[in-house]
Amino acid sequence: MKKQIHLNGFVQHSPSPHSTGLWSYKQHEGHRHNRLAYWEEIARILEQGKFDALFFADVIGTYSVYQNSYEPAVTNAVQIPAHDPLLVISALAASTQHIGFAVTVSTTYSQPYFLARQLSTLDHLTEGRVGWNIVTSYLESEAVNLGLERRLPKHVRYDRADEFLEVVYKLWEHSWEDDAVVLDRKNRVFADPSKVHLINHHGSYFDVPGPHLVEPSPQRTPVLFQAGASPRGQRFAAKHAEAVFIKSHSLESLKNYVQNIRNLVEEQGRDPHSVLIFPLILPIVGSTEEEAHRKYEELKNHVSYEGTLALLSGHTGIDFSKFDPDQYIEDMETEAVQGNLNLYTKDPTRKWTLREAVMNHGLGNGTVKFVGTPEQIADQIEQWAVEGDVDGFNIAHAHSPGTFQEFVEYVVPELQQRGIYRTEYEAVTLRENMFGKGRRFLQEDHPAKQIQVATNS
Ligand SMILES: Cc1cc2nc3c(=O)[nH]c(=O)nc-3n(C[C@H](O)[C@H](O)[C@H](O)COP(=O)(O)O)c2cc1C
């Protein structure tokens, strides 16, 4: 059997989150992001295309590093407005049957007891179709609005995230036994308290006695996604993630990343191929190669240069208003998103000037663009999947829902015809659709399963 690939749709609850300025493009309907009907339409399109999940990125602050001001971001709708992604999910579950919903929530600004309850509730309401993108957050503007004087140093954010995960694992996996709910009407016992345990967590960041507030949900732990790119971020992903995201614009840099992640996963005592890897791609489809390239040029003309400077400055934590647009950007480290900086400063294939980086970053958040006919795009997908040793792709959009519509209408049938992509969903839960029928829960070699809990009973 040929290698099978998986697909996710990459979105954010904002008008044109990953293609800056494209809200002004005539076919883009991102201004309708505040309407449920907009999300229902996207979810239905992706479900028709048999995607594993609709993946919601999220930030909870403004992009105000550039010129030390939030105004360029507001003018150009650079991930502002930024509405809450969790709140649309149960409604979308009601209008779909199979597609999963992966949502980004920060371990730096949430509480594990609270988030464990939210995600367990959603896992019940979606009947096991929820995933969590674990982020530690990178914007200073998030910190100052959420109770901190400054953004925490990256290593502290990851230390907190590690402990955060220990707490939620205890709540999800070790608090309620499978048969705790007995629903015994005759003896008037709803649940057996001897099967609902305290978790007694006492650590450096959290003290959570428990028990968990929610009875066991279909997947218990939601599917865990992560996208750390710094050395610490990659070690964190290798320890916790079941799926990782990567932004890359060359097959060569992708290969380096994938090799490294698989080695790190193995060092954690986990099967290196038990973690699925999804590069982000922006497909631009045409009925001919020329038409696709014409479309690409047209889309580029709608990118906002100033807006993208604000986006890139926020992503990297570097105020690029102080740079000459024609200078090369190289050799920089950041406390923000190292992966975004690496795209331009550590590209093994070429050097980037700031202007070139901005023009690239404005479409699909700087990720690789697959431009061409459905056959050419399917060729590239197959090549990256096989040579890059990845398990699937996160599909970004330039305009929405148009990019998704075109991809599902023209590229998905091509992938199906090649026998590398499903024609039907295999199962009900997100984890099973991603990993195979029968895999409803975390693998036994996952650290959540190894935890010992000092329970009450
Ligand atoms: C494809 C992709 C999607 C991401 N989505 C988000 C997001 O929605 N919210 C967020 O705060 N960080 C997001 N990140 C950032 C990372 O998860 C991580 O927090 C960040 O890269 C900082 O850590 P690092 O320097 O270890 O990579 C994303 C990264 C990638 C590559």
Side-chain angles (χ1 to χ4, degrees), residues 167-185:
V167 179
V168 293
Y169 294 154
K170 288 175 178 173
L171 293 166
W172 285 327
E173 298 288 333
H174 304 280
S175 185
W176 288 61
E177 294 185 29
D178 288 338
D179 54 357
V181 175
V182 289
L183 273 180
D184 180 350
R185 288 194 165 87

Side-chain angles (χ1 to χ4, degrees), residues 22-23 29 54 58 64 121 126 191 198 205 212 264 294 322 325 348 364 381 390 410 447:
L22 268 284
W23 61 269
E29 296 186 36
L54 177 59
D58 192 33
S64 40
T121 304
T126 60
L198 294 174
Y205 297 92
H212 190 28
L264 291 169
R294 253 200 323 276
K322 301 192 166 75
I381 284 180
V390 297
Y410 301 112

Side-chain angles (χ1 to χ4, degrees), residues 182-190:
V182 289
L183 273 180
D184 180 350
R185 288 194 165 87
K186 200 161 122 245
N187 293 306
R188 299 183 64 80
V189 178
F190 179 82

